[in-house]
Amino acid sequence: MTKQLPWGTAVVVGGSYAGLVTARVLADFFDEVVVLERDPVDGDTGSHPGAPQGYHAHAMLAKGGEVLEKLFPGLREELHEAGAPVFDYGERIDFLLPAGTAPRTRTGVRIQTFTRDELERRLRRRVLALPKVRMVAGVSCTGLVRDAQGRVGGVTYRESGEGRGGGEPDLARGRTTELAADLVVDASGRTSALTGWLGELGVTVPAQRTVKAKVTYTSMNFDRPEEGHPDYFVAYQMLFAPRVARAGVLLAVEGGRWTCSLFGFQEQPPTDDAGYLEFAHALDNPHLAEQIARRTAQEPTYRYTNVDNRWRPFHLVKDWPDRLVAVGDAVCVFNPVYGQGLTVAAMEAELLHGMLARQRAAGRPLDGIARDFQRRVGRLLLAPWTLSTNSDLMWDPRQRAVAARFAHWYNARLFRVAVRDASVWARFVRVVNMTASPAVLFHPAVAAKVLTAGPGRGPGGR
């Protein structure tokens, strides 16, 4: 029988969504998991100041929901009891494509809609209840520690002196502590300092890839009717370069509320009530304005502009140090209009779980797993990155790669077919929800329909 090696301490830098999901995975393999979190959060905290995007509409794609349910059994029902609906993607979404309204038909793809705030609160409570997990809040990670073998052997962090107390932590006046670890995970998000820390160790990271989206989101939550509920849980009008520059999404979420996010390319949807409603009225999907107009209670309105696609190519680092991995937005940030971020982070956690399980079963130490993990993450990211950036690049199609122009041309024709052909729409739904490869959209039976598609109805046509 293979001896099971005892793995001691894992440190997770960042206690937001990606950090919480990763900590849950690590608790299956390590004696202790320490989560270092900058904000003074606790089990009652949902989205926190370190994640300003948390106020806006978030999509948990079907694949992400499946992974979370495996890691957190009963989470879907727990959220459902709080009022987060579960439904078939094709039956309860009023989806306005650039070529018209998508078929309202069963696809077999089940999703659930909720706020990022509620999801994080539920996950944080569950993770902090695990006996092996300990969170240290109100601290800032300041660097990596390397051991005599050249591996990452821990981190340094600075305490604020505030801990879990109120107010913003004063990180500048705290003392610095060194924390030894058998594995370090950077889940600190889009503001990650990992590239700099690696530089201090003599490790060079290739230049970050950036594709600017130039899209602004303005969002609010407001009351959803208890009686006379419409026949949809989501109403959506998608952005599509270069013709559809205004869009929005309306999600039914927990607590009897709607979350509405309005999008504008090179335009900022207003934050005042009258301007917000006027912008929604300008959309071709009327359901967003209908529900905004009938609201009787609302929460504050937030604007978010930091939506560029950014990929730190850690998978290309040849001398990546052992016992260090990076996940979530610390690696790759997507334009949130495509709803990929939460699901990709869950898939990365699932990947890490599988690799650790095989390493443990074989009786092997942790050495060698880190670089392999980052390479696999690179392969995992390729499809969602291509989907997101190909669309964003086409706001200015001049001098764009032939592949990006072809993908955009193909998608435009695909949408013309999808509004008339439920089977093609169902394939698109599976791809968007990351339960099927994009290759299914290029199957000969689909490609023949796409290549012979007639003219569409134009942007926003219903």
Side-chain angles (χ1 to χ4, degrees), residues 106-344:
R106 186 173 183 80
T107 63
V109 176
R110 293 183 66 74
I111 64 167
Q112 186 173 32
T113 48
F114 38 72
T115 61
R116 166 84 175 255
D117 182 73
E118 189 66 20
L119 175 64
E120 280 207 26
R121 181 178 297 106
R122 303 278 175 166
L123 294 181
R124 188 169 287 109
R125 286 174 180 171
R126 286 188 175 220
V127 170
L128 294 183
L130 296 173
K132 294 183 178 181
V133 176
R134 173 169 63 94
M135 178 171 284
V136 181
V139 301
S140 177
C141 189
T142 55
L144 302 172
V145 176
R146 210 164 192 175
D147 66 16
Q149 289 75 41
R151 307 171 302 190
V152 169
V155 299
T156 56
Y157 67 89
R158 183 178 297 122
E159 300 177 354
S160 69
E162 295 291 337
R164 294 173 182 262
E168 284 291 315
D170 182 5
L171 298 173
R173 62 191 181 96
R175 62 185 178 87
T176 297
T177 300
E178 183 174 309
L179 177 61
D182 297 289
L183 182 70
V184 173
V185 179
D186 181 21
S188 58
R190 61 195 65 207
T191 61
S192 168
L194 182 56
T195 298
W197 297 341
L198 288 170
E200 293 171 359
L201 300 181
V203 177
T204 301
V205 178
Q208 174 179 277
R209 304 175 186 178
T210 301
V211 175
K212 293 188 175 296
K214 300 180 183 179
V215 175
T216 295
Y217 295 72
T218 304
S219 305
M220 72 160 68
N221 295 331
F222 55 92
D223 60 310
R224 185 157 49 96
E226 294 183 10
E227 298 182 0
H229 197 287
D231 66 348
Y232 53 85
F233 287 125
V234 177
Y236 183 38
Q237 176 172 325
M238 69 179 294
L239 290 169
F240 195 72
R243 296 175 296 129
V244 186
R246 285 185 171 190
V249 64
L250 182 75
L251 305 176
V253 299
E254 77 284 345
R257 298 174 296 168
W258 293 110
T259 290
C260 183
S261 289
L262 302 179
F263 322 138
F265 171 70
Q266 292 187 326
E267 179 182 15
Q268 295 187 343
T271 55
D272 66 284
D273 289 355
Y276 195 80
L277 179 58
E278 182 181 3
F279 189 98
H281 271 303
L283 302 181
D284 290 297
N285 189 328
H287 298 311
L288 286 80
E290 289 169 1
Q291 296 304 320
I292 294 169
R294 59 140 302 278
R295 72 193 185 284
T296 60
Q298 69 184 65
E299 299 169 27
T301 304
Y302 295 93
R303 176 179 287 160
Y304 183 58
T305 58
N306 188 24
V307 299
D308 294 343
N309 304 276
R310 299 198 298 272
W311 188 353
R312 298 178 176 100
F314 296 139
H315 61 291
L316 299 179
V317 177
K318 295 180 180 179
D319 53 347
W320 184 267
D322 255 331
R323 308 216 174 183
L324 169 70
V325 300
V327 298
D329 285 359
V331 182
C332 191
V333 180
F334 301 97
N335 179 349
V337 72
Y338 307 106
Q340 301 160 311
L342 296 180
T343 293
V344 167

Side-chain angles (χ1 to χ4, degrees), residues 37 76 80 88 90 183 289 321 355 357 388 395 407 409 430 432 446 459:
E37 166 55 42
R76 174 165 286 190
H80 186 249
D88 185 275
L183 182 70
M355 295 180 69
S388 179
W395 291 110
W409 173 86
R430 292 197 295 273
V432 166
V446 177

Side-chain angles (χ1 to χ4, degrees), residues 4-10 26 28-32 132 182-183 323 355-361 363-367 369:
Q4 298 286 304
L5 295 177
W7 293 339
T9 300
L26 297 174
D28 284 347
F29 302 99
F30 290 82
D31 292 335
E32 180 186 38
K132 294 183 178 181
D182 297 289
L183 182 70
R323 308 216 174 183
M355 295 180 69
L356 290 173
R358 289 190 293 274
Q359 201 85 348
R360 169 64 63 86
R364 295 192 296 264
L366 288 166
D367 299 330
I369 198 172

